Amino acid sequence: MAELSFGPFSVDVAATRVFRQGTDIRLRPKAFHVLKALVLHSGQCVNYEQMIAEVWDGISVSRHTVDVTVGEVRRSLGEYGSWISHRRKLGYCLEVPTSEDLIRRGWHFWSRVTREGFERAVSCFEQAASEDDGNFRAFEGLSVSYLMMATYGMRPPSDMYPRFLEAHSRAEALAGRTPELRSNRGHGLHMFERRLEEAEAEFRQSLREKPTLGLAYINLTMLHATCGRLEAALEVLNDAHKVDPLLPVLPATEAFVRLCRRDYETAVVCGRKALELHPYVQLSRVFLAHALEYSGRVEEALEQWQHARVLWPDLLWLRPLEGVCLVKNRRRPEAEAILEELHQIRKSDYVDAYFTALLLDALGMREKAFQELERAVDENSAALFTMDVDPKLDAFRGDLRFSRLRNKAFSIH
């Protein structure tokens, strides 16, 4: 009985600690043991006598003391405190909704960070919402699944982002604007609406409310970087290191900031560290490949692109990036074959036009490349939020058409 779990919580019996999705929840010893008793007897009532025996070791205390301690546990569970109810003459009972099993399964699939994983997560969260339309976690899961499929370019943002907004709105209506929901909304405002001041306000407020929220630091770092505030981005990353030095996307995010600074050698170092610590985080390998490519080590970069393509075949935008690197390796026919492959794939699946534009330009088709960038803006590509700092677009910046497209992309709201 080393660990018990219920909903988003885990109870470490040996260490007498409680965690909510990895975040430590501080409880007094007696409150911890009350929670432990309720979890052990989940779905059953624990009466006064039984509570005295299991928590206070048979030492008599008043019912008021028991009530106060249970109240402390309820408050520590936040919006889940309502799972603990009191039944007159029967005692206290912890009842976890049946939809929680579906939600836990949904997050399991979600953690794969693949298109199939997100889609299976959506199925679980939808079923959980149909069984309990008052469980905000079902809608939170739905919203962030749609957001990630848009963010990773797995599905068209024009389709996924409205679904995110709808599910997110439902989650907020049920739970209020939690720090996590606030950070997710800021992410959407930044990436897909380019409402930068509002996005920054959401990130900062989420961190005021929950200073340990690692992904809010990452989101704020990305916002600073894409606005050209690169020193500020590094400062936020330092804060993130203090909070959670092993946050999986942390070293990859630093590599991204270094790429934006055109500090390619340091980006290589950061990318290698990211890959060493978190080899299955897609962006670790992607940013290392970019850094190697821009520092002139194109053969090594190509190895990384090819490895990434094998590991994550559902990230179709990796193919044009591999194609660009093939051109730099003087393997143009293979790059042209990738371009033709993408044209065929596009007939039945979403291909992010932002990256196809890069391949077209590498092959010397600047006019068609601009047509693809226009398409990327029309489709609200997930990559557009990096337009001002992305070194991959440096070749386009001297053209007046680029300025027009940039202004169009950032006036979407």
Side-chain angles (χ1 to χ4, degrees):
M1 194 179 64
E3 186 174 294
L4 305 169
S5 62
F6 66 102
F9 301 95
S10 59
V11 181
D12 188 329
V13 176
T16 64
R17 297 172 72 185
V18 181
F19 299 90
R20 174 175 173 173
Q21 295 176 327
T23 301
D24 198 355
I25 296 175
R26 307 235 174 239
L27 280 177
R28 292 186 305 110
K30 288 303 180 189
F32 172 86
H33 288 292
V34 163
L35 177 59
K36 173 186 165 185
L38 291 169
V39 174
L40 285 172
H41 301 286
S42 181
Q44 306 170 29
C45 287
V46 181
N47 61 28
Y48 171 72
E49 290 77 15
Q50 187 177 0
M51 192 73 79
I52 294 295
E54 295 190 18
V55 178
W56 279 271
D57 298 321
I59 298 172
S60 181
V61 297
S62 68
R63 291 181 183 272
H64 175 72
T65 297
V66 175
D67 291 341
V68 168
T69 309
V70 172
E72 181 181 342
V73 173
R74 275 178 168 160
R75 289 190 296 276
S76 74
L77 301 184
E79 63 270 28
Y80 302 97
S82 60
W83 289 358
I84 299 175
S85 61
H86 181 262
R87 299 179 184 176
R88 191 179 178 191
K89 297 183 180 180
L90 295 177
Y92 286 100
C93 181
L94 171 65
E95 294 181 286
V96 179
T98 57
S99 59
E100 280 301 307
D101 285 340
L102 285 165
I103 289 172
R104 291 183 66 186
R105 194 179 311 151
W107 285 113
H108 168 74
F109 288 130
W110 190 95
S111 66
R112 296 179 182 178
V113 195
T114 63
R115 186 168 70 181
E116 180 188 12
F118 290 137
E119 289 175 344
R120 295 184 71 174
V122 164
S123 179
C124 290
F125 294 136
E126 284 180 337
Q127 188 176 344
S130 68
E131 291 187 8
D132 181 5
D133 64 1
N135 191 331
F136 95 93
R137 292 185 72 231
F139 295 97
E140 180 184 41
L142 273 175
S143 69
V144 78
S145 296
Y146 293 134
L147 184 62
M148 289 300 100
M149 281 192 279
T151 296
Y152 280 92
M154 296 170 176
R155 292 295 188 197
S158 56
D159 183 20
M160 293 293 102
Y161 192 61
R163 297 189 192 191
F164 158 73
L165 291 174
E166 181 180 358
H168 186 273
S169 177
R170 179 66 175 144
E172 279 195 345
L174 291 168
R177 186 162 285 192
T178 67
E180 291 80 4
L181 290 174
R182 190 181 289 280
S183 183
N184 290 341
R185 183 69 183 102
H187 179 75
L189 287 167
H190 179 203
M191 285 196 67
F192 299 106
E193 298 184 50
R194 270 79 76 187
R195 292 157 61 178
L196 305 180
E197 291 183 4
E198 293 174 63
E200 182 172 355
E202 294 286 17
F203 297 146
R204 292 194 179 281
Q205 183 60 30
S206 68
L207 287 171
R208 279 192 288 269
E209 295 173 4
K210 189 173 181 179
T212 59
L213 187 56
L215 285 179
Y217 289 99
I218 298 301
N219 288 336
L220 182 57
T221 297
M222 296 294 283
L223 185 142
H224 280 318
T226 55
C227 291
R229 303 196 295 261
L230 300 173
E231 293 303 321
L234 292 174
E235 289 175 8
V236 176
L237 273 181
N238 286 334
D239 292 338
H241 272 289
K242 296 172 186 176
V243 170
D244 186 357
L246 292 179
L247 185 66
V249 294
L250 194 56
T253 305
E254 182 175 355
F256 171 77
V257 176
R258 300 295 180 180
L259 284 167
C260 293
R261 287 166 59 98
R262 279 50 175 181
D263 183 1
Y264 300 128
E265 292 300 329
T266 306
V268 169
V269 173
C270 294
R272 293 197 192 282
K273 178 182 177 182
L275 201 58
E276 178 185 0
L277 290 173
H278 309 287
Y280 295 106
V281 172
Q282 293 97 325
L283 295 181
S284 297
R285 195 172 298 276
V286 167
F287 292 143
L288 173 59
H290 278 312
L292 289 167
E293 188 173 327
Y294 282 97
S295 62
R297 284 169 268 186
V298 293
E299 291 183 5
E300 291 180 68
L302 183 57
E303 290 178 6
Q304 294 299 331
W305 289 124
Q306 292 174 334
H307 199 161
R309 179 237 306 165
V310 172
L311 287 173
W312 304 294
D314 56 348
L315 296 182
L316 296 176
W317 48 267
L318 291 173
R319 296 292 281 143
L321 291 174
E322 179 186 349
V324 171
C325 196
L326 281 166
V327 174
K328 293 180 180 179
N329 277 275
R330 300 182 181 179
R331 293 165 62 174
R332 183 184 178 95
E334 293 169 74
E336 291 173 339
I338 288 177
L339 182 61
E340 178 57 32
E341 175 191 346
L342 292 171
H343 287 325
Q344 295 303 316
I345 292 173
R346 179 173 276 171
K347 294 177 182 179
S348 59
D349 207 344
Y350 172 67
V351 177
D352 193 327
Y354 185 98
F355 300 99
T356 307
L358 301 175
L359 178 53
L360 285 164
D361 194 61
L363 290 169
M365 301 180 225
R366 176 63 59 88
E367 189 66 34
K368 289 185 177 180
F370 267 107
Q371 291 173 11
E372 280 296 288
L373 282 179
E374 184 84 49
R375 181 172 185 160
V377 172
D378 291 340
E379 294 177 346
N380 201 15
S381 163
L384 291 172
F385 80 113
T386 68
M387 282 187 80
D388 288 343
V389 293
D390 188 354
K392 298 189 295 297
L393 294 182
D394 285 352
F396 294 87
R397 297 189 194 282
D399 194 304
L400 290 176
R401 290 173 292 179
F402 180 81
S403 298
R404 181 182 60 80
L405 281 172
R406 187 271 174 205
N407 292 337
K408 181 180 177 182
F410 278 77
S411 64
I412 189 170
H413 60 282

